[in-house]
Amino acid sequence: MKYWREEEFERRLFHLVFWAFLPAAALVFASGAPGLARWFWILVVCLGVYRAMRGGWGLFREGGLAGVGLALLFVMLFTAMGLGILSDDGKGWTPEHIVVAATVIGVISGLRLLVRQWTWGEWVAWVAPLVATLAVSSFVAAGSVLHALYADGLSLSPDDLDVPPAWQALAGVKLLMMFSMVMVLPAWWGFARHRHHGYAAPGDGFNIILYVLVLLLMVTGATLQALDSARAAVNEVVAAAESGEAPPSYFGVEPAWTCVQPLVALDELSGEGPPLNPRTPYLSFGVSGDTAVLWDPSAKSPVKILAGQTWLRPVKSGTASCAVDVTGSAKP
């Protein structure tokens, strides 16, 4: 099978994947669209399938059914992923997922085109500060900024959450992805340079100014997204606490309903927070050091007591009954 030149083949393959992705994305939007909007997205699905097959036909120099078959395979794969056919829980993509994925792909493609056209002056103006920025952000992310914001929303400290290192690393990756979302401007600049737009003429001085602006956007955008991510997780935990349902996890933090049986008299308990009520379940965030970290749904504040003075018994929900002996004589 005769191929095009490497760069031409990559371009045609990228167009094929793009048009194969479009029907799956359009089906997701069509599933929640009313009336005429749904028919619009169905037309987009037909357009995507047609353009994908046409792109498959021209993928190789000789053309033929091999490229068309590859295009249909991509269409079916993306559609199955989008509708949740390949997932264990049956959940597919959401419009938010599609927007994020499209933005990330566009940013990566634009930055790739930008890097290919850089002069030495642009390498110094862009790469050196960018590497320094990513190094600093990676170091900060290693300390789990998202976990710190999550803990602060529940009036806890980061030390109260015993998060495994693997989950801290995943939270760091999430934070770096938030940074990438605001790289749309330099990515667009890469596409403009590639297509020789008049306003995108080379100029090292302008590129330095542009980088400073993008850096400010990165910091501002990532901060807002990180705050929103942690705030949404805190709101879900508070809502679950009010209703007595199982609370969701957040990057390795697994709050769970727990009955707290004191092993000493209530007035001898050492800790901080509202007085302990052993008859109602608390949300437990585990044991940090020698302290049991709890959260009181009624007072909406944390309760921290010595783990050695209590017996923690998991329960299924916040409506469970906790039968206790408040004299401290009960044993587990």
Side-chain angles (χ1 to χ4, degrees):
M1 187 175 295
K2 295 182 180 180
Y3 289 83
W4 299 97
R5 287 187 175 183
E6 182 178 0
E7 183 175 350
E8 178 65 17
F9 180 78
E10 290 180 356
R11 184 182 69 84
R12 290 173 180 262
L13 181 61
F14 176 80
H15 287 172
L16 168 62
V17 173
F18 169 78
W19 288 111
F21 176 81
L22 186 62
L27 282 175
V28 173
F29 283 99
S31 61
L36 293 177
R38 177 173 299 179
W39 285 105
F40 168 78
W41 288 114
I42 292 176
L43 291 176
V44 174
V45 171
C46 298
L47 174 64
V49 173
Y50 167 73
R51 292 302 301 267
M53 294 177 62
R54 183 177 176 182
W57 183 269
L59 183 61
F60 305 105
R61 292 182 62 183
E62 296 177 340
L65 296 178
V68 175
L70 183 62
L72 291 177
L73 181 62
F74 274 119
V75 170
M76 290 187 294
L77 177 62
F78 288 141
T79 301
M81 294 171 60
L83 299 180
I85 298 175
L86 299 181
S87 62
D88 295 334
D89 55 4
K91 294 182 178 179
W93 297 340
T94 64
E96 291 77 12
H97 292 157
I98 294 174
V99 171
V100 171
T103 304
V104 170
I105 293 173
V107 166
I108 293 175
S109 302
L111 291 180
R112 175 175 172 271
L113 293 174
L114 184 64
V115 169
R116 288 174 56 186
Q117 303 169 73
W118 274 351
T119 64
W120 281 109
E122 289 171 318
W123 273 96
V124 174
W126 283 79
V127 176
L130 184 60
V131 170
T133 302
L134 290 178
V136 172
S137 62
S138 300
F139 175 78
V140 173
S144 190
V145 173
L146 296 181
H147 287 122
L149 294 173
Y150 177 81
D152 183 70
L154 295 171
S155 301
L156 299 171
S157 66
D159 295 335
D160 294 331
L161 304 178
D162 187 14
V163 183
W167 282 106
Q168 291 188 7
L170 288 176
V173 171
K174 174 71 173 180
L175 188 63
L176 291 179
M177 288 181 63
M178 294 176 181
F179 273 83
S180 68
M181 294 300 294
V182 290
M183 293 294 289
V184 174
L185 182 58
W188 172 258
W189 193 254
F191 283 111
R193 290 281 297 274
H194 180 70
R195 295 185 173 275
H196 306 289
H197 291 184
Y199 58 84
D204 293 346
F206 180 76
N207 286 334
I208 295 176
I209 298 174
L210 182 62
Y211 176 76
V212 173
L213 295 176
V214 171
L215 182 60
L216 293 176
L217 286 174
M218 287 177 64
V219 174
T220 304
T223 301
L224 293 177
Q225 291 185 66
L227 289 172
D228 183 68
S229 173
R231 186 184 303 112
V234 169
N235 291 338
E236 290 178 357
V237 171
V238 173
E242 293 176 348
S243 62
E245 299 177 352
S249 60
Y250 185 71
F251 290 107
V253 181
E254 305 261 356
W257 289 108
T258 304
C259 285
V260 184
Q261 168 68 63
L263 301 179
V264 299
L266 288 178
D267 56 0
E268 296 179 5
L269 284 175
S270 300
E272 58 182 88
L276 182 70
N277 181 5
R279 294 181 174 82
T280 61
Y282 286 77
L283 280 180
S284 173
F285 288 87
V287 177
S288 177
D290 58 353
T291 303
V293 181
L294 310 171
W295 201 77
D296 188 348
S298 58
K300 294 184 179 180
S301 63
V303 179
K304 303 177 185 179
I305 52 180
L306 288 178
Q309 295 182 337
T310 59
W311 171 45
L312 304 179
R313 177 170 59 87
V315 292
K316 294 183 178 181
S317 68
T319 58
S321 176
C322 297
V324 299
D325 179 5
V326 296
T327 63
S329 59
K331 299 298 181 182

PDB file of all heavy atoms in Angstrom, residues 100-136:
ATOM      1  N   VAL A 100     -13.925  19.711  27.000  1.00  0.00           N
ATOM      2  CA  VAL A 100     -12.573  19.632  27.577  1.00  0.00           C
ATOM      3  C   VAL A 100     -11.644  18.854  26.658  1.00  0.00           C
ATOM      4  O   VAL A 100     -10.505  19.271  26.396  1.00  0.00           O
ATOM      5  CB  VAL A 100     -12.637  18.974  28.974  1.00  0.00           C
ATOM      6  CG1 VAL A 100     -11.226  18.677  29.477  1.00  0.00           C
ATOM      7  CG2 VAL A 100     -13.358  19.889  29.956  1.00  0.00           C
ATOM      8  N   ALA A 101     -12.114  17.703  26.149  1.00  0.00           N
ATOM      9  CA  ALA A 101     -11.271  16.886  25.266  1.00  0.00           C
ATOM     10  C   ALA A 101     -10.912  17.645  23.993  1.00  0.00           C
ATOM     11  O   ALA A 101      -9.757  17.624  23.552  1.00  0.00           O
ATOM     12  CB  ALA A 101     -11.984  15.583  24.930  1.00  0.00           C
ATOM     13  N   ALA A 102     -11.898  18.321  23.397  1.00  0.00           N
ATOM     14  CA  ALA A 102     -11.632  19.078  22.171  1.00  0.00           C
ATOM     15  C   ALA A 102     -10.642  20.208  22.432  1.00  0.00           C
ATOM     16  O   ALA A 102      -9.750  20.480  21.607  1.00  0.00           O
ATOM     17  CB  ALA A 102     -12.939  19.627  21.609  1.00  0.00           C
ATOM     18  N   THR A 103     -10.773  20.862  23.577  1.00  0.00           N
ATOM     19  CA  THR A 103      -9.852  21.952  23.907  1.00  0.00           C
ATOM     20  C   THR A 103      -8.439  21.435  24.104  1.00  0.00           C
ATOM     21  O   THR A 103      -7.469  22.030  23.614  1.00  0.00           O
ATOM     22  CB  THR A 103     -10.329  22.682  25.168  1.00  0.00           C
ATOM     23  OG1 THR A 103     -11.666  23.140  24.984  1.00  0.00           O
ATOM     24  CG2 THR A 103      -9.429  23.866  25.481  1.00  0.00           C
ATOM     25  N   VAL A 104      -8.285  20.322  24.821  1.00  0.00           N
ATOM     26  CA  VAL A 104      -6.956  19.757  25.058  1.00  0.00           C
ATOM     27  C   VAL A 104      -6.303  19.344  23.739  1.00  0.00           C
ATOM     28  O   VAL A 104      -5.125  19.620  23.490  1.00  0.00           O
ATOM     29  CB  VAL A 104      -7.055  18.555  26.021  1.00  0.00           C
ATOM     30  CG1 VAL A 104      -5.725  17.813  26.093  1.00  0.00           C
ATOM     31  CG2 VAL A 104      -7.457  19.031  27.406  1.00  0.00           C
ATOM     32  N   ILE A 105      -7.073  18.685  22.850  1.00  0.00           N
ATOM     33  CA  ILE A 105      -6.525  18.269  21.561  1.00  0.00           C
ATOM     34  C   ILE A 105      -6.118  19.483  20.737  1.00  0.00           C
ATOM     35  O   ILE A 105      -5.046  19.510  20.110  1.00  0.00           O
ATOM     36  CB  ILE A 105      -7.565  17.420  20.793  1.00  0.00           C
ATOM     37  CG1 ILE A 105      -7.792  16.093  21.523  1.00  0.00           C
ATOM     38  CG2 ILE A 105      -7.092  17.154  19.372  1.00  0.00           C
ATOM     39  CD1 ILE A 105      -8.913  15.267  20.939  1.00  0.00           C
ATOM     40  N   GLY A 106      -6.965  20.515  20.729  1.00  0.00           N
ATOM     41  CA  GLY A 106      -6.623  21.723  19.986  1.00  0.00           C
ATOM     42  C   GLY A 106      -5.394  22.421  20.535  1.00  0.00           C
ATOM     43  O   GLY A 106      -4.540  22.900  19.781  1.00  0.00           O
ATOM     44  N   VAL A 107      -5.280  22.468  21.864  1.00  0.00           N
ATOM     45  CA  VAL A 107      -4.120  23.115  22.487  1.00  0.00           C
ATOM     46  C   VAL A 107      -2.836  22.361  22.139  1.00  0.00           C
ATOM     47  O   VAL A 107      -1.822  22.956  21.769  1.00  0.00           O
ATOM     48  CB  VAL A 107      -4.315  23.195  24.015  1.00  0.00           C
ATOM     49  CG1 VAL A 107      -2.997  23.534  24.706  1.00  0.00           C
ATOM     50  CG2 VAL A 107      -5.356  24.246  24.360  1.00  0.00           C
ATOM     51  N   ILE A 108      -2.881  21.040  22.251  1.00  0.00           N
ATOM     52  CA  ILE A 108      -1.685  20.249  21.936  1.00  0.00           C
ATOM     53  C   ILE A 108      -1.285  20.417  20.474  1.00  0.00           C
ATOM     54  O   ILE A 108      -0.100  20.593  20.156  1.00  0.00           O
ATOM     55  CB  ILE A 108      -1.941  18.765  22.267  1.00  0.00           C
ATOM     56  CG1 ILE A 108      -2.104  18.588  23.782  1.00  0.00           C
ATOM     57  CG2 ILE A 108      -0.793  17.892  21.763  1.00  0.00           C
ATOM     58  CD1 ILE A 108      -2.476  17.178  24.192  1.00  0.00           C
ATOM     59  N   SER A 109      -2.268  20.393  19.576  1.00  0.00           N
ATOM     60  CA  SER A 109      -1.976  20.548  18.148  1.00  0.00           C
ATOM     61  C   SER A 109      -1.407  21.931  17.856  1.00  0.00           C
ATOM     62  O   SER A 109      -0.422  22.065  17.109  1.00  0.00           O
ATOM     63  CB  SER A 109      -3.247  20.315  17.331  1.00  0.00           C
ATOM     64  OG  SER A 109      -3.784  19.032  17.571  1.00  0.00           O
ATOM     65  N   GLY A 110      -2.002  22.965  18.437  1.00  0.00           N
ATOM     66  CA  GLY A 110      -1.509  24.316  18.192  1.00  0.00           C
ATOM     67  C   GLY A 110      -0.123  24.546  18.745  1.00  0.00           C
ATOM     68  O   GLY A 110       0.727  25.176  18.095  1.00  0.00           O
ATOM     69  N   LEU A 111       0.142  24.047  19.946  1.00  0.00           N
ATOM     70  CA  LEU A 111       1.478  24.200  20.526  1.00  0.00           C
ATOM     71  C   LEU A 111       2.523  23.442  19.707  1.00  0.00           C
ATOM     72  O   LEU A 111       3.662  23.890  19.578  1.00  0.00           O
ATOM     73  CB  LEU A 111       1.477  23.701  21.973  1.00  0.00           C
ATOM     74  CG  LEU A 111       0.675  24.547  22.967  1.00  0.00           C
ATOM     75  CD1 LEU A 111       0.756  23.944  24.362  1.00  0.00           C
ATOM     76  CD2 LEU A 111       1.158  25.991  22.992  1.00  0.00           C
ATOM     77  N   ARG A 112       2.120  22.281  19.167  1.00  0.00           N
ATOM     78  CA  ARG A 112       3.053  21.518  18.326  1.00  0.00           C
ATOM     79  C   ARG A 112       3.416  22.325  17.076  1.00  0.00           C
ATOM     80  O   ARG A 112       4.596  22.384  16.685  1.00  0.00           O
ATOM     81  CB  ARG A 112       2.408  20.192  17.922  1.00  0.00           C
ATOM     82  CG  ARG A 112       3.236  19.359  16.957  1.00  0.00           C
ATOM     83  CD  ARG A 112       2.572  18.021  16.703  1.00  0.00           C
ATOM     84  NE  ARG A 112       3.244  17.279  15.650  1.00  0.00           N
ATOM     85  CZ  ARG A 112       2.963  17.378  14.365  1.00  0.00           C
ATOM     86  NH1 ARG A 112       2.001  18.204  13.967  1.00  0.00           N
ATOM     87  NH2 ARG A 112       3.636  16.662  13.470  1.00  0.00           N
ATOM     88  N   LEU A 113       2.430  22.960  16.452  1.00  0.00           N
ATOM     89  CA  LEU A 113       2.720  23.789  15.283  1.00  0.00           C
ATOM     90  C   LEU A 113       3.568  24.996  15.664  1.00  0.00           C
ATOM     91  O   LEU A 113       4.446  25.413  14.899  1.00  0.00           O
ATOM     92  CB  LEU A 113       1.412  24.257  14.636  1.00  0.00           C
ATOM     93  CG  LEU A 113       0.553  23.164  13.994  1.00  0.00           C
ATOM     94  CD1 LEU A 113      -0.775  23.750  13.530  1.00  0.00           C
ATOM     95  CD2 LEU A 113       1.291  22.513  12.836  1.00  0.00           C
ATOM     96  N   LEU A 114       3.315  25.560  16.845  1.00  0.00           N
ATOM     97  CA  LEU A 114       4.079  26.729  17.280  1.00  0.00           C
ATOM     98  C   LEU A 114       5.539  26.375  17.508  1.00  0.00           C
ATOM     99  O   LEU A 114       6.448  27.102  17.095  1.00  0.00           O
ATOM    100  CB  LEU A 114       3.453  27.298  18.553  1.00  0.00           C
ATOM    101  CG  LEU A 114       4.080  28.584  19.105  1.00  0.00           C
ATOM    102  CD1 LEU A 114       3.896  29.728  18.115  1.00  0.00           C
ATOM    103  CD2 LEU A 114       3.462  28.935  20.448  1.00  0.00           C
ATOM    104  N   VAL A 115       5.790  25.245  18.157  1.00  0.00           N
ATOM    105  CA  VAL A 115       7.155  24.837  18.466  1.00  0.00           C
ATOM    106  C   VAL A 115       7.939  24.579  17.178  1.00  0.00           C
ATOM    107  O   VAL A 115       9.132  24.898  17.089  1.00  0.00           O
ATOM    108  CB  VAL A 115       7.135  23.580  19.367  1.00  0.00           C
ATOM    109  CG1 VAL A 115       8.527  22.983  19.483  1.00  0.00           C
ATOM    110  CG2 VAL A 115       6.614  23.933  20.750  1.00  0.00           C
ATOM    111  N   ARG A 116       7.287  24.012  16.170  1.00  0.00           N
ATOM    112  CA  ARG A 116       7.979  23.691  14.916  1.00  0.00           C
ATOM    113  C   ARG A 116       8.482  24.939  14.205  1.00  0.00           C
ATOM    114  O   ARG A 116       9.423  24.862  13.397  1.00  0.00           O
ATOM    115  CB  ARG A 116       7.032  22.931  13.985  1.00  0.00           C
ATOM    116  CG  ARG A 116       6.739  21.522  14.419  1.00  0.00           C
ATOM    117  CD  ARG A 116       5.695  20.883  13.534  1.00  0.00           C
ATOM    118  NE  ARG A 116       6.084  20.914  12.128  1.00  0.00           N
ATOM    119  CZ  ARG A 116       5.293  20.513  11.142  1.00  0.00           C
ATOM    120  NH1 ARG A 116       4.070  20.075  11.407  1.00  0.00           N
ATOM    121  NH2 ARG A 116       5.714  20.555   9.895  1.00  0.00           N
ATOM    122  N   GLN A 117       7.900  26.104  14.506  1.00  0.00           N
ATOM    123  CA  GLN A 117       8.248  27.326  13.782  1.00  0.00           C
ATOM    124  C   GLN A 117       9.069  28.297  14.628  1.00  0.00           C
ATOM    125  O   GLN A 117       9.342  29.409  14.189  1.00  0.00           O
ATOM    126  CB  GLN A 117       6.961  28.030  13.313  1.00  0.00           C
ATOM    127  CG  GLN A 117       6.071  27.151  12.450  1.00  0.00           C
ATOM    128  CD  GLN A 117       4.720  27.782  12.234  1.00  0.00           C
ATOM    129  OE1 GLN A 117       4.577  28.743  11.483  1.00  0.00           O
ATOM    130  NE2 GLN A 117       3.719  27.256  12.902  1.00  0.00           N
ATOM    131  N   TRP A 118       9.447  27.891  15.814  1.00  0.00           N
ATOM    132  CA  TRP A 118      10.169  28.820  16.689  1.00  0.00           C
ATOM    133  C   TRP A 118      11.575  29.123  16.175  1.00  0.00           C
ATOM    134  O   TRP A 118      12.280  28.241  15.666  1.00  0.00           O
ATOM    135  CB  TRP A 118      10.275  28.225  18.093  1.00  0.00           C
ATOM    136  CG  TRP A 118       9.092  28.527  18.939  1.00  0.00           C
ATOM    137  CD1 TRP A 118       8.072  29.378  18.676  1.00  0.00           C
ATOM    138  CD2 TRP A 118       8.795  27.925  20.201  1.00  0.00           C
ATOM    139  NE1 TRP A 118       7.155  29.360  19.687  1.00  0.00           N
ATOM    140  CE2 TRP A 118       7.574  28.484  20.641  1.00  0.00           C
ATOM    141  CE3 TRP A 118       9.432  26.990  21.000  1.00  0.00           C
ATOM    142  CZ2 TRP A 118       6.984  28.129  21.853  1.00  0.00           C
ATOM    143  CZ3 TRP A 118       8.844  26.625  22.212  1.00  0.00           C
ATOM    144  CH2 TRP A 118       7.638  27.197  22.620  1.00  0.00           C
ATOM    145  N   THR A 119      11.988  30.363  16.384  1.00  0.00           N
ATOM    146  CA  THR A 119      13.378  30.750  16.190  1.00  0.00           C
ATOM    147  C   THR A 119      14.109  30.585  17.518  1.00  0.00           C
ATOM    148  O   THR A 119      13.505  30.312  18.567  1.00  0.00           O
ATOM    149  CB  THR A 119      13.463  32.203  15.727  1.00  0.00           C
ATOM    150  OG1 THR A 119      12.941  33.057  16.768  1.00  0.00           O
ATOM    151  CG2 THR A 119      12.648  32.424  14.447  1.00  0.00           C
ATOM    152  N   TRP A 120      15.440  30.747  17.492  1.00  0.00           N
ATOM    153  CA  TRP A 120      16.193  30.616  18.747  1.00  0.00           C
ATOM    154  C   TRP A 120      15.743  31.659  19.766  1.00  0.00           C
ATOM    155  O   TRP A 120      15.686  31.399  20.966  1.00  0.00           O
ATOM    156  CB  TRP A 120      17.699  30.768  18.462  1.00  0.00           C
ATOM    157  CG  TRP A 120      18.296  29.518  17.906  1.00  0.00           C
ATOM    158  CD1 TRP A 120      18.725  29.317  16.627  1.00  0.00           C
ATOM    159  CD2 TRP A 120      18.515  28.292  18.605  1.00  0.00           C
ATOM    160  NE1 TRP A 120      19.189  28.035  16.477  1.00  0.00           N
ATOM    161  CE2 TRP A 120      19.086  27.380  17.678  1.00  0.00           C
ATOM    162  CE3 TRP A 120      18.277  27.866  19.909  1.00  0.00           C
ATOM    163  CZ2 TRP A 120      19.420  26.085  18.027  1.00  0.00           C
ATOM    164  CZ3 TRP A 120      18.624  26.575  20.257  1.00  0.00           C
ATOM    165  CH2 TRP A 120      19.189  25.693  19.331  1.00  0.00           C
ATOM    166  N   GLY A 121      15.420  32.866  19.283  1.00  0.00           N
ATOM    167  CA  GLY A 121      14.950  33.885  20.215  1.00  0.00           C
ATOM    168  C   GLY A 121      13.652  33.499  20.878  1.00  0.00           C
ATOM    169  O   GLY A 121      13.434  33.745  22.062  1.00  0.00           O
ATOM    170  N   GLU A 122      12.765  32.857  20.103  1.00  0.00           N
ATOM    171  CA  GLU A 122      11.491  32.422  20.667  1.00  0.00           C
ATOM    172  C   GLU A 122      11.681  31.262  21.641  1.00  0.00           C
ATOM    173  O   GLU A 122      10.959  31.144  22.628  1.00  0.00           O
ATOM    174  CB  GLU A 122      10.550  32.021  19.533  1.00  0.00           C
ATOM    175  CG  GLU A 122      10.063  33.214  18.725  1.00  0.00           C
ATOM    176  CD  GLU A 122       9.313  32.787  17.481  1.00  0.00           C
ATOM    177  OE1 GLU A 122       9.756  31.849  16.817  1.00  0.00           O
ATOM    178  OE2 GLU A 122       8.273  33.413  17.181  1.00  0.00           O
ATOM    179  N   TRP A 123      12.639  30.386  21.375  1.00  0.00           N
ATOM    180  CA  TRP A 123      12.927  29.306  22.330  1.00  0.00           C
ATOM    181  C   TRP A 123      13.338  29.879  23.676  1.00  0.00           C
ATOM    182  O   TRP A 123      12.897  29.425  24.729  1.00  0.00           O
ATOM    183  CB  TRP A 123      14.033  28.412  21.777  1.00  0.00           C
ATOM    184  CG  TRP A 123      13.541  27.327  20.898  1.00  0.00           C
ATOM    185  CD1 TRP A 123      13.473  27.335  19.540  1.00  0.00           C
ATOM    186  CD2 TRP A 123      13.005  26.069  21.309  1.00  0.00           C
ATOM    187  NE1 TRP A 123      12.937  26.172  19.075  1.00  0.00           N
ATOM    188  CE2 TRP A 123      12.643  25.364  20.129  1.00  0.00           C
ATOM    189  CE3 TRP A 123      12.805  25.453  22.542  1.00  0.00           C
ATOM    190  CZ2 TRP A 123      12.090  24.092  20.159  1.00  0.00           C
ATOM    191  CZ3 TRP A 123      12.255  24.183  22.571  1.00  0.00           C
ATOM    192  CH2 TRP A 123      11.905  23.516  21.406  1.00  0.00           C
ATOM    193  N   VAL A 124      14.194  30.903  23.644  1.00  0.00           N
ATOM    194  CA  VAL A 124      14.630  31.519  24.908  1.00  0.00           C
ATOM    195  C   VAL A 124      13.474  32.241  25.582  1.00  0.00           C
ATOM    196  O   VAL A 124      13.299  32.176  26.798  1.00  0.00           O
ATOM    197  CB  VAL A 124      15.795  32.491  24.642  1.00  0.00           C
ATOM    198  CG1 VAL A 124      16.156  33.250  25.907  1.00  0.00           C
ATOM    199  CG2 VAL A 124      17.002  31.720  24.110  1.00  0.00           C
ATOM    200  N   ALA A 125      12.648  32.921  24.766  1.00  0.00           N
ATOM    201  CA  ALA A 125      11.559  33.723  25.332  1.00  0.00           C
ATOM    202  C   ALA A 125      10.431  32.872  25.875  1.00  0.00           C
ATOM    203  O   ALA A 125       9.760  33.267  26.837  1.00  0.00           O
ATOM    204  CB  ALA A 125      11.011  34.681  24.267  1.00  0.00           C
ATOM    205  N   TRP A 126      10.202  31.692  25.280  1.00  0.00           N
ATOM    206  CA  TRP A 126       9.060  30.879  25.673  1.00  0.00           C
ATOM    207  C   TRP A 126       9.434  29.664  26.509  1.00  0.00           C
ATOM    208  O   TRP A 126       8.854  29.413  27.549  1.00  0.00           O
ATOM    209  CB  TRP A 126       8.310  30.405  24.427  1.00  0.00           C
ATOM    210  CG  TRP A 126       7.453  31.444  23.800  1.00  0.00           C
ATOM    211  CD1 TRP A 126       7.857  32.460  22.988  1.00  0.00           C
ATOM    212  CD2 TRP A 126       6.044  31.574  23.942  1.00  0.00           C
ATOM    213  NE1 TRP A 126       6.786  33.208  22.613  1.00  0.00           N
ATOM    214  CE2 TRP A 126       5.650  32.690  23.177  1.00  0.00           C
ATOM    215  CE3 TRP A 126       5.062  30.864  24.623  1.00  0.00           C
ATOM    216  CZ2 TRP A 126       4.342  33.104  23.080  1.00  0.00           C
ATOM    217  CZ3 TRP A 126       3.745  31.270  24.519  1.00  0.00           C
ATOM    218  CH2 TRP A 126       3.397  32.376  23.768  1.00  0.00           C
ATOM    219  N   VAL A 127      10.424  28.896  26.034  1.00  0.00           N
ATOM    220  CA  VAL A 127      10.686  27.600  26.649  1.00  0.00           C
ATOM    221  C   VAL A 127      11.246  27.734  28.050  1.00  0.00           C
ATOM    222  O   VAL A 127      10.805  27.054  28.980  1.00  0.00           O
ATOM    223  CB  VAL A 127      11.635  26.769  25.759  1.00  0.00           C
ATOM    224  CG1 VAL A 127      11.985  25.461  26.442  1.00  0.00           C
ATOM    225  CG2 VAL A 127      10.989  26.507  24.423  1.00  0.00           C
ATOM    226  N   ALA A 128      12.235  28.620  28.223  1.00  0.00           N
ATOM    227  CA  ALA A 128      12.853  28.734  29.546  1.00  0.00           C
ATOM    228  C   ALA A 128      11.833  29.120  30.626  1.00  0.00           C
ATOM    229  O   ALA A 128      11.735  28.449  31.658  1.00  0.00           O
ATOM    230  CB  ALA A 128      14.003  29.740  29.496  1.00  0.00           C
ATOM    231  N   PRO A 129      11.027  30.178  30.422  1.00  0.00           N
ATOM    232  CA  PRO A 129      10.008  30.477  31.442  1.00  0.00           C
ATOM    233  C   PRO A 129       8.950  29.383  31.577  1.00  0.00           C
ATOM    234  O   PRO A 129       8.467  29.122  32.672  1.00  0.00           O
ATOM    235  CB  PRO A 129       9.380  31.789  30.943  1.00  0.00           C
ATOM    236  CG  PRO A 129      10.375  32.362  30.011  1.00  0.00           C
ATOM    237  CD  PRO A 129      11.045  31.187  29.374  1.00  0.00           C
ATOM    238  N   LEU A 130       8.604  28.712  30.447  1.00  0.00           N
ATOM    239  CA  LEU A 130       7.580  27.677  30.518  1.00  0.00           C
ATOM    240  C   LEU A 130       8.064  26.486  31.338  1.00  0.00           C
ATOM    241  O   LEU A 130       7.323  25.935  32.155  1.00  0.00           O
ATOM    242  CB  LEU A 130       7.205  27.230  29.100  1.00  0.00           C
ATOM    243  CG  LEU A 130       6.069  26.215  28.998  1.00  0.00           C
ATOM    244  CD1 LEU A 130       4.789  26.775  29.607  1.00  0.00           C
ATOM    245  CD2 LEU A 130       5.840  25.813  27.551  1.00  0.00           C
ATOM    246  N   VAL A 131       9.330  26.082  31.123  1.00  0.00           N
ATOM    247  CA  VAL A 131       9.887  24.970  31.904  1.00  0.00           C
ATOM    248  C   VAL A 131       9.922  25.335  33.385  1.00  0.00           C
ATOM    249  O   VAL A 131       9.592  24.521  34.255  1.00  0.00           O
ATOM    250  CB  VAL A 131      11.287  24.603  31.385  1.00  0.00           C
ATOM    251  CG1 VAL A 131      11.976  23.627  32.328  1.00  0.00           C
ATOM    252  CG2 VAL A 131      11.189  24.000  29.994  1.00  0.00           C
ATOM    253  N   ALA A 132      10.326  26.570  33.676  1.00  0.00           N
ATOM    254  CA  ALA A 132      10.357  26.995  35.077  1.00  0.00           C
ATOM    255  C   ALA A 132       8.960  26.992  35.687  1.00  0.00           C
ATOM    256  O   ALA A 132       8.767  26.561  36.827  1.00  0.00           O
ATOM    257  CB  ALA A 132      10.971  28.393  35.172  1.00  0.00           C
ATOM    258  N   THR A 133       7.980  27.447  34.912  1.00  0.00           N
ATOM    259  CA  THR A 133       6.603  27.470  35.407  1.00  0.00           C
ATOM    260  C   THR A 133       6.090  26.065  35.694  1.00  0.00           C
ATOM    261  O   THR A 133       5.486  25.798  36.733  1.00  0.00           O
ATOM    262  CB  THR A 133       5.686  28.151  34.386  1.00  0.00           C
ATOM    263  OG1 THR A 133       6.167  29.471  34.149  1.00  0.00           O
ATOM    264  CG2 THR A 133       4.266  28.219  34.903  1.00  0.00           C
ATOM    265  N   LEU A 134       6.314  25.137  34.740  1.00  0.00           N
ATOM    266  CA  LEU A 134       5.854  23.764  34.937  1.00  0.00           C
ATOM    267  C   LEU A 134       6.567  23.096  36.103  1.00  0.00           C
ATOM    268  O   LEU A 134       5.971  22.311  36.831  1.00  0.00           O
ATOM    269  CB  LEU A 134       6.065  22.957  33.655  1.00  0.00           C
ATOM    270  CG  LEU A 134       5.162  23.330  32.482  1.00  0.00           C
ATOM    271  CD1 LEU A 134       5.502  22.485  31.270  1.00  0.00           C
ATOM    272  CD2 LEU A 134       3.700  23.158  32.847  1.00  0.00           C
ATOM    273  N   ALA A 135       7.857  23.406  36.286  1.00  0.00           N
ATOM    274  CA  ALA A 135       8.585  22.817  37.411  1.00  0.00           C
ATOM    275  C   ALA A 135       8.001  23.289  38.735  1.00  0.00           C
ATOM    276  O   ALA A 135       7.790  22.503  39.664  1.00  0.00           O
ATOM    277  CB  ALA A 135      10.066  23.183  37.311  1.00  0.00           C
ATOM    278  N   VAL A 136       7.730  24.613  38.818  1.00  0.00           N
ATOM    279  CA  VAL A 136       7.152  25.146  40.059  1.00  0.00           C
ATOM    280  C   VAL A 136       5.756  24.591  40.294  1.00  0.00           C
ATOM    281  O   VAL A 136       5.406  24.172  41.397  1.00  0.00           O
ATOM    282  CB  VAL A 136       7.127  26.689  40.004  1.00  0.00           C
ATOM    283  CG1 VAL A 136       6.357  27.249  41.193  1.00  0.00           C
ATOM    284  CG2 VAL A 136       8.540  27.233  39.988  1.00  0.00           C
TER     285      VAL A 136
END
